[in-house]
Amino acid sequence: MASGSGSSSAPEDHRRKWDKEEFERLAEERLREELEALEEGKQKPAPVTRELLRQRDYRVDLEGKLGKSVVITKNTPSSQTGGYYCNVCDCVVKDSINFLDHINGKKHQRNLGMSMRVERSSLDQVKKRFELNKKKMEEKKRDYDIEQRMKEIRQEEDKLKEYRKERKKEKKRKLDDDLDQESEGQSELAAIMGFSGFGGAKK
């Protein structure tokens, strides 16, 4: 019976064999894919085009809720609670100064789809603006002149009324004075003639 130690054939190696070339190829592919993914991630997304900042075409109502009281419950929507509600940003601001700061601020303008950049005006636009302002000033001046003239006319009418009133008072005074003088003359005449008075009680 032969012993196991004296056998000429070497025992089989049970460890798993790795194909190095295959794994190197797979590792290179994965590395290449990761690099491509990183490069794609680094690429900036297309910039969002926003409108240029423009002037408001509406009046901001800051005094609409002044002096009004509101009952606020848990179910009251935020637009009806105290303060100033911004429906663009869905937030409530407590006072008018902060509300104006908010609606002129970057966040609000971005939510409106505008950037904080202002359009650069051309020479023609500036000239047109000057002409428009000049027309407005002339219209204002004309309106003021009309208003001033109407005021002067009203003052003249008031003076004329006052003058007529004074004339009437003067005429009445003169008439009263004449009547007084006449009655004095009659009483003097009665005294001279010995009458105590006309139509008096019998003695």
Side-chain angles (χ1 to χ4, degrees):
M1 195 173 184
S3 66
S5 59
S7 66
S8 59
S9 64
E12 248 184 69
D13 192 0
H14 294 289
R15 286 190 303 176
R16 195 171 170 187
K17 302 279 190 231
W18 299 100
D19 188 352
K20 286 184 182 177
E21 288 175 5
E22 176 67 20
F23 279 100
E24 278 175 6
R25 187 181 61 76
L26 286 171
E28 278 177 12
E29 276 181 20
R30 192 171 64 213
L31 190 65
R32 199 179 310 115
E33 283 172 10
E34 283 176 5
L35 284 170
E36 281 173 10
L38 274 172
E39 283 174 10
E40 283 175 13
K42 278 181 185 175
Q43 284 176 356
K44 291 177 183 175
V48 178
T49 52
R50 295 178 182 276
E51 285 182 57
L52 293 169
L53 196 63
R54 63 175 185 272
Q55 190 177 354
R56 263 193 301 274
D57 54 358
Y58 60 92
R59 187 177 170 275
V60 180
D61 181 26
L62 297 174
E63 297 162 3
K65 291 184 178 179
L66 273 179
K68 292 180 182 175
S69 22
V70 182
V71 177
I72 300 168
T73 63
K74 282 190 276 184
N75 301 328
T76 306
S78 55
S79 61
Q80 291 170 16
T81 58
Y84 297 90
Y85 177 70
C86 174
N87 56 354
V88 177
C89 306
D90 189 30
C91 65
V92 178
V93 185
K94 291 296 172 194
D95 58 73
S96 58
I97 294 168
N98 286 328
F99 182 66
L100 281 174
D101 284 346
H102 167 74
I103 60 175
N104 291 330
K106 199 172 191 177
K107 183 187 171 190
H108 182 81
Q109 298 301 333
R110 277 179 179 272
N111 288 344
L112 282 172
M114 285 190 276
S115 68
M116 295 303 281
R117 290 200 178 96
V118 183
E119 184 185 358
R120 203 168 166 79
S121 301
S122 66
L123 185 63
D124 291 335
Q125 284 175 320
V126 173
K127 282 179 179 175
K128 280 178 186 173
R129 192 74 180 174
F130 271 122
E131 283 172 18
L132 186 70
N133 286 343
K134 194 176 176 184
K135 279 180 187 174
K136 277 184 185 175
M137 287 291 284
E138 284 169 2
E139 282 173 16
K140 205 173 179 183
K141 192 180 176 186
R142 193 166 63 241
D143 290 345
Y144 174 75
D145 289 345
I146 290 166
E147 200 174 303
Q148 187 70 22
R149 188 74 191 115
M150 290 297 287
K151 195 177 177 183
E152 285 170 8
I153 289 166
R154 278 195 293 272
Q155 284 174 351
E156 288 293 325
E157 283 174 356
D158 290 344
K159 281 179 186 175
L160 191 63
K161 279 178 187 174
E162 197 66 35
Y163 175 70
R164 283 176 181 163
K165 209 184 271 183
E166 285 296 321
R167 284 281 302 273
K168 275 183 183 177
K169 280 182 184 175
E170 192 66 38
K171 277 182 181 176
K172 196 177 179 189
R173 259 200 305 270
K174 264 190 175 181
L175 195 63
D176 289 344
D177 288 347
D178 290 346
L179 285 170
D180 287 345
Q181 283 175 1
E182 196 176 313
S183 63
E184 278 175 25
Q186 283 177 358
S187 60
E188 281 175 24
L189 183 63
I192 291 167
M193 294 179 76
F195 300 118
S196 59
F198 296 105
K202 288 182 180 179
K203 288 181 181 178

